[in-house]
Amino acid sequence: MEVNPIILKFVYAAIVVSVIMGLCSYAVLAERKISSWIQGRVGPNRTSLPLVGGIPVIGPFLTRLGIFQPIPDGLKFLFKEDVLPGHVNKFYFMMAPVISLVPALTTVVVVPFGRFVNEAGEVMPLVLANVNVGLLFLFAISSLGVYGVVLAGWSSNSKYPFLGGIRASAQMISYELAMGVSVLPILMWVNAPGKEGTLNLFDIALAQNGFWFAMWMPLSAIIFLVCLFAETNRLPFDMAESETELVSGFHTEYSSFKFGLFFVGEYAHMVIGSCVFALLFLGGWNPMPFVTLEALGMGQGIPGAVLSVGIFLGKMCAMMFFFMWIRWTLPRFRYDQVMKLGWTVLLPLSIANLILYTFIIYYLDTSL
Amino acid sequence: MPTETTEYNAPDSGGKAAAAAQEFETEHLEVSMGPSHPSTHGVLRLNLELDGEVVQKCDPVLGYLHRGDEKIAENMTYNQFVPYTDRLDYLAPLANNAAYAMAVEKLANLEVPERCQAIRVVTSELARISAHLLGLGAYTMDVGALTVFMITFTEREKLYTLFEELTGARFTTSYSRIGGVTRDMPDGWTDRVMVFCEEFLPLLDDVEALLTRNRIWFDRTADIGIISKEDAISYGLTGPNLRGSGVDLDLRRDAPYSGYEQYDFEVPLGENGDCYDRYAVRMEEMRQSVRIVRQAIAKMPGGPFYAEEAKKIYAPRKDKILTSMEELIQNFMITTEGPDMPAGEVYFEAENPKGALGFYIVSKGGGVPYRMKIRGPSFNNLSVLEKVCLGGMISDISAILGSLDFVMGECDR
């Protein structure tokens, strides 16, 4: 029986989106557990499900780990009162959380989570849409996320969110530049002369069967990482939110599920950002530099595909851990310092890096 | 040669700005920060006028926590007021208790035994560590480093456990009585304090490793909220805020009380008077406090822990009250009429964690003060806010508030 490919795509999309949402909710748990680990606390360890929690040994163990905590965390958003303040611009106020979440979930379509090698030896990406513009699409869509924050700040018609919205828009626009420029060396390297040009994330990952790009373009990796922190609004760059100055910044007036969408959106951005970093700089699903799954003889068929997805998600989780580690260690920048860092340090540095790699790649292409 | 200052103007910037101003009416944004805001610890309210993010005017509004402590003092005996002193600087109640008791003892011209003095030194210094730890934790949290807050609070819990053992309460200790302290230290308490000191210093190094040479922390605090020496003096700042500006004044050393002259300690000073200096001064003060505690415990004198000869001031012990007629009468008199105080006026101030906590007492004799004025250091420390916040950004306000380390309970009284 032949399944309609469009229906199949919908099924895949549903699977991927639910996986991402699941990852987000468990990222919240991870955030809570890691922060408590860093701060010498215990973290969530009480929530239990009626039947599962009753299983001897395993039930209490899972409860102790806080495995069930995301369920009440999520339900809380649903059941709390949804306050719609009288002074807001209702249309934009309601639209803002959606706008901040949708781009984050949309970018998922071009992120390959692994690869599948069929019997003929062809390597195929496990991706929703294997489009050639991959990276460009990703940047274009993810930068739309800032509208959610700006609209939220603006439509709240309240002072702290307003300031948060201004901060967010300035910061995100500034860091997008450096971020974009910092990945250009990779694109130059992948699109060697004479080859068909591509911006596909899958091809970029495949280009890292030898060196990982983090190893031979470390500066790009660092700049990209810093910009990623700024783009995802995480501490030390959480200007828009900075709860001790602007109370909660752009989402001060939000409650219940609308706040939940912002919350999930932030973590979805983090998940996608970690995925992209792993693809661009950490070799995608290659277990080690110079070692591919094929070389280990484990790349074939479905087990190989599962393994590649596992390795990729492992790298993503490591990145997520790094995000959280930084958040609970460093103080927050000041708004003007963030702007200064973006414009006077990261942007010139990324341009210098671009010029340097232009010459290196030119040299490698012509004389070797 | 006369020097001329030239101002650079972008071509036609003046004209454009004027035109823009005509087109859009621009005005400053007024923000009421507080009284319920995460970084105005307690109930301070700041009426801010912002130009973008830059503070043009900062107008502190006080009094949300005013409870009329000074008036209350006129209506009760001296000993009954001790629990109210807990609630002045509620982060260092032990130090407040001791300062109040010493002020009244100065009125009565009463010398307390050495053991009592040493106990008061130990408790005051532990209270100083506890208050500075909270100040530091809240300060770093305002600047965005959330973990330090948890680290310092864990240490404070250990201190509270020690306080509980000593006084029976973790928070509102009410440990002092006029002429002594409520009870002697329990067995082995000093050893446990020593253990705390042992464990505390490495932890302080950990905190320093997180902050002192951290670039972001440095950027956020250095050259922010500068209080010049002159300002610090003219606004009446005391304590670490004054010393952060480089003014060398510490009442423990300059006007020693309670036997502070026997202990060897240094008074750390800042240079620039910025937020970073105030942080550095507090860090060093905690180390010096540990030093004082160790010395005081090492040469803890024996003897009574209250002035035994002051029979009309310090209520006798319970076992004596129940067996002896004279002590029963004394206890009755002290409880009903209060301690027997001479008429007179007295001012005493002690170096508390936040600065000089002063008590001005007017007595017309008897067990109740005629008038009591409390000088809360936080009140004076906050007065400078109007000046330091100008020209800073909103983010600087949280750093400055954190670095001034105030307690509204003491400020509003």
Side-chain angles (χ1 to χ4, degrees):
Chain A
M1 193 188 85
E2 195 66 17
V3 186
N4 187 338
I6 293 177
I7 294 173
L8 208 59
K9 278 289 177 199
F10 268 110
V11 172
Y12 286 156
I15 292 171
V16 169
V17 167
S18 51
V19 165
I20 291 288
M21 295 301 258
L23 277 175
C24 289
S25 57
Y26 276 91
V28 178
L29 174 69
E31 177 101 62
R32 295 180 68 178
K33 273 292 185 187
I34 288 168
S35 69
S36 55
W37 181 39
I38 289 173
Q39 298 180 337
R41 296 185 282 118
V42 182
N45 67 342
R46 299 297 163 91
T47 319
S48 183
L49 281 184
L51 289 173
V52 189
I55 302 169
V57 188
I58 301 169
F61 176 69
L62 292 180
T63 307
R64 213 66 66 72
L65 283 180
I67 290 293
F68 310 117
Q69 187 65 34
I71 301 166
D73 277 359
L75 286 179
K76 186 184 71 178
F77 288 132
L78 281 175
F79 290 133
K80 278 202 170 179
E81 188 191 350
D82 194 358
V83 181
L84 190 65
H87 53 74
V88 301
N89 183 327
K90 289 197 180 53
F91 179 69
Y92 293 118
F93 188 78
M94 304 235 237
M95 203 163 79
V98 180
I99 290 185
S100 81
L101 180 62
V102 166
L105 292 182
T106 312
T107 47
V108 178
V109 297
V110 294
V111 174
F113 286 88
R115 92 279 181 280
F116 175 72
V117 184
N118 64 10
E119 279 157 19
E122 286 170 344
V123 185
M124 288 187 297
L126 297 177
V127 64
L128 278 178
N130 191 20
V131 288
N132 209 5
V133 289
L135 193 60
L136 197 62
F137 176 82
L138 194 132
F139 279 148
I141 299 293
S142 69
S143 64
L144 289 179
V146 69
Y147 284 104
V149 177
V150 175
L151 276 182
W154 209 274
S155 66
S156 291
N157 199 10
S158 167
K159 287 165 185 172
Y160 290 119
F162 175 67
L163 288 169
I166 292 179
R167 284 181 180 193
S169 45
Q171 175 192 336
M172 290 198 170
I173 290 164
S174 319
Y175 277 73
E176 225 140 61
L177 275 174
M179 194 180 199
V181 176
S182 72
V183 294
L184 285 183
I186 292 179
L187 300 181
M188 285 198 300
W189 178 246
V190 174
N191 296 303
K195 272 180 27 183
E196 201 179 328
T198 179
L199 290 172
N200 196 330
L201 283 165
F202 182 64
D203 295 333
I204 293 171
L206 283 186
Q208 299 179 74
N209 284 343
F211 268 118
W212 291 1
F213 286 136
M215 292 164 71
W216 101 265
M217 295 173 183
L219 196 58
S220 285
I222 291 168
I223 294 170
F224 189 82
L225 189 61
V226 173
C227 294
L228 207 56
F229 272 94
E231 288 287 302
T232 49
N233 255 328
R234 294 283 294 182
L235 215 119
F237 295 100
D238 66 337
M239 291 303 109
E241 219 177 300
S242 53
E243 64 248 60
T244 50
E245 296 150 22
L246 302 183
V247 190
S248 272
F250 64 93
H251 58 59
T252 305
E253 303 285 349
Y254 282 88
S255 54
S256 182
F257 200 66
K258 294 202 203 71
F259 169 74
L261 287 183
F262 276 121
F263 201 63
V264 173
E266 183 190 328
Y267 282 93
H269 266 123
M270 248 168 83
V271 170
I272 303 299
S274 306
C275 288
V276 173
F277 189 83
L279 282 171
L280 289 181
F281 293 102
L282 296 181
W285 38 83
N286 289 328
M288 267 182 283
F290 298 106
V291 180
T292 57
L293 283 173
E294 285 77 12
L296 293 173
M298 293 186 289
Q300 293 297 319
I302 291 182
V306 171
L307 195 60
S308 72
V309 172
I311 290 173
F312 179 71
L313 289 183
K315 283 178 185 173
M316 190 211 76
C317 291
M319 283 304 298
M320 296 284 281
F321 176 76
F322 185 70
F323 267 96
M324 289 163 190
W325 187 12
I326 292 288
R327 168 166 181 186
W328 296 101
T329 308
L330 290 181
R332 176 187 303 122
F333 277 111
R334 204 173 62 193
Y335 170 55
D336 60 327
Q337 289 163 354
V338 167
M339 300 305 283
K340 218 169 114 188
L341 181 73
W343 287 102
T344 66
V345 180
L346 291 181
L347 186 62
L349 209 59
S350 58
I351 291 173
N353 180 52
L354 173 65
I355 293 170
L356 176 72
Y357 277 96
T358 311
F359 283 116
I360 293 177
I361 291 169
Y362 175 75
Y363 174 75
L364 291 177
D365 279 345
T366 50
S367 52
L368 292 180
Chain B
M1 202 180 98
T3 51
E4 274 185 357
T5 53
T6 47
E7 266 189 359
Y8 174 74
N9 279 321
D12 198 31
S13 70
K16 268 183 195 164
Q22 267 186 349
E23 203 169 333
F24 317 101
E25 242 173 71
T26 58
E27 56 184 56
H28 289 161
L29 181 68
E30 277 179 33
V31 177
S32 173
M33 197 172 178
S36 158
H37 182 280
S39 70
T40 59
H41 313 280
V43 284
L44 172 66
R45 176 174 160 210
L46 301 173
N47 280 334
L48 300 177
E49 217 177 280
L50 301 175
D51 180 12
E53 289 238 354
V54 181
V55 179
Q56 299 294 330
K57 201 177 139 209
C58 169
D59 185 15
V61 183
L62 307 177
Y64 287 93
L65 200 58
H66 178 63
R67 293 149 302 177
D69 277 349
E70 292 171 4
K71 192 68 190 168
I72 289 171
E74 295 168 19
N75 294 303
M76 54 178 57
T77 66
Y78 288 98
N79 272 326
Q80 282 174 329
F81 190 66
V82 172
Y84 287 88
T85 62
D86 289 340
R87 287 145 179 92
L88 290 175
D89 173 3
Y90 43 74
L91 304 174
L94 282 166
N96 302 341
N97 297 158
Y100 170 69
M102 283 185 276
V104 183
E105 282 154 15
K106 191 176 172 188
L107 174 71
N109 214 355
L110 178 69
E111 185 80 14
V112 294
E114 282 190 349
R115 186 176 177 79
C116 169
Q117 292 188 353
I119 293 175
R120 281 178 182 174
V121 167
V122 172
T123 54
S124 297
E125 292 307 317
L126 289 179
R128 187 184 313 279
I129 293 173
S130 146
H132 280 359
L133 278 177
L134 185 128
L136 176 71
Y139 180 14
T140 50
M141 192 170 66
D142 287 349
V143 178
L146 295 143
T147 296
V148 177
F149 181 76
M150 281 303 186
I151 296 177
T152 60
F153 258 62
T154 315
E155 287 310 289
R156 272 172 61 82
E157 282 303 311
K158 292 180 194 165
L159 275 173
Y160 275 167
T161 309
L162 289 172
F163 293 166
E164 187 182 16
E165 217 179 324
L166 180 69
T167 70
R170 294 174 77 80
F171 200 66
T172 49
T173 51
S174 302
Y175 186 51
S176 284
R177 290 292 176 271
I178 314 303
V181 290
T182 48
R183 56 182 78 80
D184 203 356
M185 294 178 291
D187 289 339
W189 189 75
T190 49
D191 300 334
R192 288 187 282 280
V193 172
M194 288 300 239
V195 169
F196 168 80
C197 293
E198 202 67 38
E199 291 169 354
F200 173 63
L201 288 179
L203 187 117
L204 213 52
D205 294 336
D206 279 358
V207 173
E208 282 227 72
L210 275 174
L211 296 175
T212 301
R213 291 179 61 76
N214 183 328
R215 184 74 226 181
I216 303 178
W217 173 256
F218 194 73
D219 280 349
R220 282 300 303 276
T221 55
D223 288 336
I224 305 294
I226 298 177
I227 304 173
S228 68
K229 254 187 192 182
E230 294 73 31
D231 277 350
I233 295 169
S234 63
Y235 278 90
L237 264 58
T238 43
N241 297 328
L242 179 73
R243 292 190 283 274
S245 294
V247 182
D248 197 2
L249 175 76
D250 188 324
L251 295 173
R252 293 175 293 171
R253 185 199 59 199
D254 301 330
Y257 53 89
S258 202
Y260 265 113
E261 62 277 0
Q262 336 162 24
Y263 308 116
D264 182 26
F265 62 98
E266 279 155 28
V267 179
L269 291 179
E271 283 172 13
N272 309 322
D274 54 11
C275 292
Y276 185 82
D277 277 356
R278 291 193 278 277
Y279 151 77
V281 163
R282 285 207 179 82
M283 291 301 273
E284 186 54 32
E285 267 186 23
M286 282 192 265
R287 294 210 168 81
Q288 297 298 332
S289 288
V290 168
R291 214 170 133 193
I292 297 173
V293 168
R294 281 178 167 163
Q295 289 175 44
I297 286 179
K299 49 181 170 186
M300 179 63 73
F305 61 91
Y306 60 95
E308 282 176 316
E309 73 282 4
K311 290 193 189 306
K312 289 186 172 175
I313 292 176
Y314 191 94
R317 308 309 298 160
K318 202 81 180 175
D319 51 335
K320 290 197 177 149
I321 297 169
L322 297 177
T323 52
S324 146
M325 191 64 205
E326 197 188 335
E327 265 87 6
L328 179 64
I329 294 170
Q330 270 176 30
N331 186 56
F332 181 75
M333 295 302 285
I334 288 174
T335 312
T336 52
E337 291 187 354
D340 186 29
M341 288 290 157
E345 288 180 24
V346 71
Y347 180 69
F348 174 83
E349 56 184 7
E351 186 71 36
N352 255 37
K354 307 269 185 283
L357 174 68
F359 291 92
Y360 177 65
I361 304 172
V362 180
S363 164
K364 297 206 163 177
V368 177
Y370 177 71
R371 171 81 172 95
M372 182 186 310
K373 165 86 180 91
I374 304 168
R375 180 208 188 274
S378 293
F379 180 72
N380 293 53
N381 291 350
L382 270 184
S383 66
V384 79
L385 205 58
E386 243 174 322
K387 188 160 185 187
V388 272
C389 284
L390 289 189
M393 304 185 79
I394 303 180
S395 312
D396 293 337
I397 289 186
S398 5
I400 292 168
L401 287 179
S403 76
L404 285 176
D405 188 20
F406 56 91
V407 167
M408 291 315 283
E410 180 182 66
C411 183
D412 293 344
R413 298 189 292 280

